[in-house]
Amino acid sequence: MSKPTPPSIRRRQWGAERIRTPLPTVHRRPSDAKIVWGRVAIIITVTAWVVYLITTIIRQFFEYGNEDFRLSLEAIFYLVVVTFLTFSALMYLVARQGALRRFRDHVRVPRAELDRHFAEGHRGGMTVLVPSYAEEPSVIRKTLWSAALQEYPDLRVVLLLDDPPAPTDPFIADRLDRTRRITEGIAEALREPGIRFADDLLTFEHQLLTTSDVDDEAVRRLADSYREAVRWLHEMAAAEEHEDHVDTFFIEQVLGGLADDLELTARALDGSREAGVAPTADRMLELHRRLVWIFTAEMAVFERKTYASLSHEANKAMNLNAYIGLMGGRYRVEQTPDGPILRPVLGAQRADLVVPNAEYLLTLDADSLLLRDYCLRLVYLLEQPDNERVAVTQTPYSSFRGAPTRLERLAGASTDLQHILHQGLTEYDATFWVGANAVIRMEALDDILEIETVGGFEVRRYVQDRTVIEDTESSIDLGQHGWTLVNYPERLSYSATPPDFGSLIVQRRRWANGGLLILPKFLRQLKARKRAGDPIRWTESMLRVNYMASIAWASVGLVFLLAYPYDSRLLSPLVLVAALPYFIAQASDLKACGYKYSDILRIYGFNLILLPVNLAGVIKSVEQSLTGKKIPFARTPKVRNRTASPLLYVVAPYGIVAFSVLTAWRNVSDENWGNAAFAAFNAFCASWAILGNIGVLNSLADIWLGLTEWMWVDRKRDDDDDEASASVGEFDWQKALYHGHTAPGSGSRSRRAESRWAKRAADPKRVGAEAKPGDLAEAEPDVVDAMQPGQEGVDPVSPLVGATDESRSA
């Protein structure tokens, strides 16, 4: 950038991150020593667990036998807990080792090879789908711009707006209106440079019709076009609002990075002129097309809740499914009493809505940003001859640097560790789709399509919505149909992390829910593949099982270690030796990602205070497995002001500290030094996490809010009764023709009675008259029950209707 970006105005906490420069796009090549030490860590972990099993657990059975039944039972449970925790640590080390090998072997594809590939007959269009619900317009705008500026031959960007289409709250209505106008603003901004660069391409193509030689003037004009694109990007960056670290990334990396890339091309063209060696005609065409592709994108907004014929289930998966199911079709909008519905049209019939098809889909969360060549590099990977059965490719998202809060910094550190973990899963064919961003083959989605009819309308499910981690279950579905998934070994996508404890609770509770429900599907796949003679490798199986179930067993196991006073004879330094390589490796990875070695302790305490949140997610999974009822999808709030935390999750961390202190004191009294040290360490780390990430004042505020929440009631508007009475009394002939007669037992008698009473209440001759015995005899039984003794003078409609308002009063 020619102009440095100004500092942001958002307030920064003490101990937050100051450096806003992101990590390198291409991972640093790991040294041979680092890879060797990674293997040593795996060997130490396995050896320490085996030696502990022999020297401690088995020895207890040989020495005491059946003499001490309680000790034997404790030994079994303690071994189970330690084994599961050690297994999770081992899986991290194995995945990490795979990531290191991938980073070592990765060779970046040169720019010219990408241009040549897409110039030689590439015809696969791409549709970018950005699902959004109640997001801030400024957040969505940056995401859409990062998608619109992707360099791709045929790009369509669609905002899947899932907000209620007609909100009554003025603030929400204004936000929705501003969100709807974002795509129009982007399309308008791109129109002028897009037309200019398309005209330049056409001019050069006409020149090639007369001569195949590239003269100096053609090179100069192309260099000027690139400098014009750089100027346009600089002007846009200078006009951008700059309030936080995400704005910094958008200005410097999305806009500034693209400008720097194009400026380098302009300088290279100037250099070719000075050297007297012009690029070939084919290369000139490729460079002209590049500008056209960057500044050309079709923008659109789609709101599924506008149409009664589409699913309105409240989750991201069905928001995606509703639009994907329409792709490649032409539709006529038909008005019904329930709202507009979409009817497919064939042939030359007039269509009100045309949804183009695409060979590739890019799903992108509304709070994620892409670097400039994300689409180009990932589609190039998919179109290599040996990747014909790759259904999904992605770059697991990284965190925005420069987080203004301590908690957001730690959440970002966890995100960057997960990036390494996911890169390693690909080494063992155990990749999972991470829903924040991914390029998907439409052909693969067609293979896992499930169709059902609901209320007379066809519902297409490409992405399963049975759980709130829909991307994980879809990964298993794709594997059942012979597709694979690949993580591209670079950092090309970034996503926001929760800025406070309240929003973090929403995110982590969702992550902890669903893995146990998906695990049986994977186990069935294991058996099916084995019967078919194509067994899944042990490493892939173990990594996938750990990915889906580790939160459950780690949470339960940690509760046992914290709460139960195990016999000191079961404790051994070998348990610490088995865990030590995991913590050392993770600390090393944190340092490599630009954090501190000591952050490993902060993350440990961070996970301690999240223990109740993870347990709640696991319990929700069990509840869903028993009831079959779907858990509602909860979006992670990404707001600048603080999100309040539920009472339970604020009080529970303090309970963990108090119980750990009590446990430490009791074990010191009993001279059980191992348990005392563990409890004291937990109390210290959890206290540190509470003070640094939640805050005492915020805790008190959330506790007060939780204790007084029951005092708030819905406020009723004065005109609600009049509006409700009028609506009940009206006869809607359109609904009667559309729906027909109500099914027996579904409440039709009550509605007829309400209508009858409404008419009587509206009759001026009956106002103020006493109820006659015949009136009650004509009433339906449920209406008579609603009129309690002593209420004869009450308006007969009032017990039956009511309305609430979104505003609340104490």
Side-chain angles (χ1 to χ4, degrees), residues 94 399 543 764:
V94 170
S399 64
L543 286 166

Side-chain angles (χ1 to χ4, degrees), residues 498-552:
D500 54 66
F501 191 62
S503 54
L504 182 72
I505 288 172
V506 177
Q507 182 192 70
R508 296 304 172 93
R509 187 170 52 189
R510 186 178 72 241
W511 287 0
N513 177 18
L516 293 179
L517 299 173
I518 303 169
L519 184 58
K521 179 181 285 191
F522 175 67
L523 297 179
R524 290 194 296 270
Q525 181 182 340
L526 277 177
K527 295 179 181 178
R529 290 272 297 270
K530 187 175 182 180
R531 287 194 301 266
D534 182 25
I536 298 177
R537 291 188 301 170
W538 277 103
T539 48
E540 178 184 350
S541 302
M542 292 188 295
L543 286 166
R544 288 193 183 276
V545 170
N546 178 73
Y547 185 86
M548 290 182 280
S550 60
I551 290 181

Side-chain angles (χ1 to χ4, degrees), residues 211-374:
T211 177
S212 59
D213 296 332
V214 178
D215 56 17
D216 182 75
E217 180 62 21
V219 178
R220 184 193 63 78
R221 286 197 301 268
L222 180 57
D224 289 342
S225 295
Y226 271 82
R227 276 188 285 270
E228 174 60 25
V230 172
R231 183 196 62 78
W232 188 92
L233 290 167
H234 281 170
E235 288 182 355
M236 179 180 174
E240 286 293 306
E241 294 183 357
H242 192 182
E243 296 184 357
D244 59 17
H245 59 305
V246 180
D247 294 335
T248 301
F249 184 91
F250 179 71
I251 294 171
E252 295 185 353
Q253 304 303 322
V254 176
L255 300 179
L258 178 58
D260 292 344
D261 192 353
L262 299 182
E263 186 173 12
L264 178 64
T265 303
R267 290 171 56 194
L269 290 171
D270 291 338
S272 71
R273 292 179 60 208
E274 293 175 1
V277 181
T280 64
D282 289 340
R283 187 60 180 141
M284 291 285 289
L285 278 173
E286 292 168 1
L287 294 176
H288 271 290
R289 291 193 187 108
R290 185 181 178 193
L291 287 177
V292 175
W293 293 347
I294 291 174
F295 290 93
T296 303
E298 182 182 352
M299 308 297 297
V301 179
F302 183 79
E303 300 181 57
R304 60 164 175 150
K305 291 180 179 177
T306 304
Y307 303 102
S309 55
L310 300 180
S311 171
H312 290 189
E313 291 190 53
N315 56 67
K316 184 174 76 172
M318 291 311 298
N319 190 13
L320 291 168
N321 288 331
Y323 187 83
I324 298 174
L326 298 175
M327 291 181 64
R330 302 169 67 247
Y331 305 91
R332 171 173 54 86
V333 177
E334 180 180 314
Q335 298 295 331
T336 71
D338 289 347
I341 62 174
L342 296 174
R343 300 285 191 194
V345 297
L346 301 175
Q349 299 181 38
R350 182 184 62 84
D352 300 313
L353 176 66
V354 178
V355 183
N357 208 348
E359 186 174 348
Y360 301 106
L361 291 179
L362 167 55
T363 60
L364 180 63
D365 277 1
D367 56 1
S368 298
L369 296 179
L370 303 177
L371 294 186
R372 53 193 174 275
D373 48 0
Y374 179 97

Side-chain angles (χ1 to χ4, degrees), residues 277-511:
V277 181
T280 64
D282 289 340
R283 187 60 180 141
M284 291 285 289
L285 278 173
E286 292 168 1
L287 294 176
H288 271 290
R289 291 193 187 108
R290 185 181 178 193
L291 287 177
V292 175
W293 293 347
I294 291 174
F295 290 93
T296 303
E298 182 182 352
M299 308 297 297
V301 179
F302 183 79
E303 300 181 57
R304 60 164 175 150
K305 291 180 179 177
T306 304
Y307 303 102
S309 55
L310 300 180
S311 171
H312 290 189
E313 291 190 53
N315 56 67
K316 184 174 76 172
M318 291 311 298
N319 190 13
L320 291 168
N321 288 331
Y323 187 83
I324 298 174
L326 298 175
M327 291 181 64
R330 302 169 67 247
Y331 305 91
R332 171 173 54 86
V333 177
E334 180 180 314
Q335 298 295 331
T336 71
D338 289 347
I341 62 174
L342 296 174
R343 300 285 191 194
V345 297
L346 301 175
Q349 299 181 38
R350 182 184 62 84
D352 300 313
L353 176 66
V354 178
V355 183
N357 208 348
E359 186 174 348
Y360 301 106
L361 291 179
L362 167 55
T363 60
L364 180 63
D365 277 1
D367 56 1
S368 298
L369 296 179
L370 303 177
L371 294 186
R372 53 193 174 275
D373 48 0
Y374 179 97
C375 292
L376 216 60
R377 293 189 178 276
L378 269 60
V379 173
Y380 177 86
L381 173 72
L382 290 176
E383 295 185 347
Q384 297 310 295
D386 53 346
N387 291 332
E388 293 178 351
R389 295 301 296 175
V390 175
V392 178
T393 183
Q394 62 194 355
T395 63
Y397 63 89
S398 300
S399 64
F400 297 115
R401 305 312 292 264
T405 66
R406 293 181 292 270
L407 184 142
E408 190 172 355
R409 175 180 174 275
L410 278 187
S414 299
T415 295
D416 291 334
L417 290 178
Q418 287 295 314
H419 174 90
I420 297 173
L421 172 65
H422 280 282
Q423 293 288 3
L425 293 179
T426 297
E427 179 73 7
Y428 306 99
D429 298 324
T431 307
F432 281 93
W433 175 11
V434 181
N437 68 89
V439 175
I440 313 161
R441 287 187 198 270
M442 192 65 194
E443 178 187 357
L445 289 181
D446 288 335
D447 281 354
I448 63 173
L449 169 63
E450 295 182 3
I451 302 177
E452 64 175 333
T453 301
V454 178
F457 299 104
E458 183 181 84
V459 175
R460 292 174 166 248
R461 281 185 170 84
Y462 297 88
V463 182
Q464 287 297 320
D465 65 326
R466 189 167 60 102
T467 68
V468 293
I469 49 173
E470 70 289 333
D471 42 11
T472 302
E473 184 167 8
S474 297
S475 303
I476 304 301
D477 292 337
L478 290 167
Q480 288 178 336
H481 289 78
W483 292 97
T484 60
L485 300 90
V486 171
N487 286 315
Y488 193 78
E490 294 185 7
R491 296 186 182 94
L492 296 174
S493 64
Y494 291 77
S495 190
T497 49
D500 54 66
F501 191 62
S503 54
L504 182 72
I505 288 172
V506 177
Q507 182 192 70
R508 296 304 172 93
R509 187 170 52 189
R510 186 178 72 241
W511 287 0

Side-chain angles (χ1 to χ4, degrees), residues 3-18:
K3 177 181 176 181
T5 55
S8 64
I9 62 174
R10 189 174 177 184
R11 184 178 179 183
R12 181 179 301 277
Q13 285 185 347
W14 174 82
E17 196 172 28
R18 294 188 175 278

Side-chain angles (χ1 to χ4, degrees), residues 110-129:
R111 175 76 228 188
E113 294 302 317
L114 294 175
D115 294 338
R116 183 174 294 109
H117 172 80
F118 285 92
E120 294 176 352
H122 172 80
R123 293 293 181 268
M126 176 178 289
T127 297
V128 182
L129 301 180

